[in-house]
């Protein structure tokens, strides 16, 4: 089982590397969205500092949403997905490997760039560690929940719009707790409660989302 997990993970990471232009587009989208906010709301430092956590989290959420349609689309079009579903390995296992590869190629670069974007918005340096930790906990949840939506809308006409309508309401609690963790840390009340909630959400998503995603893939390919 571990060899299957690692084989799928390695394959998807290799495909992501070969199609790294898509990864760079997602990262560029995140940077551009963050950079646009000062033009829209003004460059007053106190105002930017106040909205920085929310801006960074909204930009990360939209960057994840932008790339979700790629998660299963290529495997669906070339028949690989059907072969994986017909294999004897548990579907939840290779689904988890694909989601992990997706997060490593899209979510992790966003997390790496987020501190620099935080400094651009004049976010206090004391909030940067919490920002990174909240994104490390929250973006995998976005990937796992988004994978279920991507599986449900696989092969549908206008699937991208339907995918957004399905997953955005599920993303809202992650957005609230992620941005709230940074704001709570900066206000002095502590981010522990928000981070624990994100950790609990991640544990629940890890347990349930791969199974739900595998079932949705079977429905979409029937």
């Amino acid at each position: 089982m571990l060899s299957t997990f690692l084989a799928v993970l390695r394959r998807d990471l290799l495909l992501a590397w070969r199609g790294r232009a898509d990864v760079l587009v997602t990262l560029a989208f995140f940077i551009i969205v963050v950079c646009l906010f000062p033009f829209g709301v003004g460059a007053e430092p106190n105002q930017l500092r106040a909205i920085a956590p929310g801006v960074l989290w909204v930009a990360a959420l939209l960057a994840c949403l932008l790339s979700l349609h790629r998660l299963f689309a290529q495997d669906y079009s070339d028949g690989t997905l059907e072969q994986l579903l017909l294999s004897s390995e548990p579907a939840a296992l290779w689904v988890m490997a694909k989601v992990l590869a997706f997060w490593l190629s899209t979510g992790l670069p966003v997390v790496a760039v987020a501190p620099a974007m935080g400094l651009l918005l004049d976010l206090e340096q004391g909030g940067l560690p919490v920002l990174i930790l909240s994104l490390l906990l929250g973006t995998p949840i976005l990937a796992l929940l988004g994978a279920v939506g991507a599986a449900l809308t696989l092969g549908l006409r206008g699937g991208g719009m339907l995918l957004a309508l399905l997953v955005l309401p599920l993303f809202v609690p992650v957005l609230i707790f992620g941005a709230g963790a940074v704001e709570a840390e900066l206000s002095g009340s502590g981010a522990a409660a928000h981070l624990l909630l994100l950790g609990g959400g991640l544990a629940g998503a890890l347990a349930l989302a791969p199974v739900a995603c595998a079932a949705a893939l079977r429905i979409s390919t029937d």
Side-chain angles (χ1 to χ4, degrees):
M1 291 178 65
L2 182 60
S3 62
T4 301
F5 179 89
L6 293 176
V8 174
L9 177 63
R10 181 180 179 277
R11 171 187 175 273
D12 278 32
L13 288 175
L14 182 60
L15 289 174
W17 173 250
R18 291 176 177 173
R20 53 189 176 273
D22 292 332
V23 176
L24 294 176
V25 167
T26 301
L27 191 59
F29 177 82
F30 171 74
I31 295 172
I32 291 171
V33 169
V34 174
C35 291
L36 285 177
F37 271 87
F39 293 103
V41 302
E44 203 279 319
N46 291 331
Q47 187 176 17
L48 290 178
R49 194 178 302 119
I51 67 172
V55 168
L56 292 167
W57 257 98
V58 168
L61 184 153
L62 293 177
C64 177
L65 184 63
L66 178 70
S67 53
L68 276 176
H69 69 282
R70 302 198 313 264
L71 188 51
F72 302 111
Q74 184 175 350
D75 289 341
Y76 178 76
S77 62
D78 63 14
T80 302
L81 190 60
E82 291 185 5
Q83 297 300 317
L84 287 171
L85 289 170
L86 291 173
S87 68
S88 60
E89 301 296 338
L93 182 70
W94 54 261
V95 165
M96 178 65 77
K98 294 182 73 65
V99 173
L100 178 58
F102 172 80
W103 180 79
L104 288 174
S105 60
T106 58
L108 192 58
V110 167
V111 176
V113 172
M117 295 295 99
L119 294 176
L120 177 69
L121 297 177
D122 201 31
L123 183 67
E124 295 180 16
Q125 293 190 8
L128 292 179
V130 176
L131 172 67
I132 296 171
L133 185 55
S134 67
L135 287 171
L136 285 174
L137 290 172
T139 50
I141 304 176
L142 301 181
L144 287 162
L145 295 177
V148 179
L152 286 171
T153 58
L154 190 62
L156 297 179
R157 174 181 288 184
M161 182 64 68
L162 184 57
L163 173 61
L165 292 175
L166 283 174
V167 301
L168 277 176
L170 301 176
F171 284 0
V172 171
V174 184
L175 171 65
I176 292 172
F177 294 129
V182 184
E183 294 172 355
E185 181 67 20
L186 294 176
S187 66
S189 58
H194 294 80
L195 295 176
L196 286 173
L197 287 169
L198 285 175
L202 177 58
L206 285 170
L208 300 176
V211 178
C213 186
L217 287 172
R218 294 186 188 280
I219 293 172
S220 296
T221 54
D222 284 344

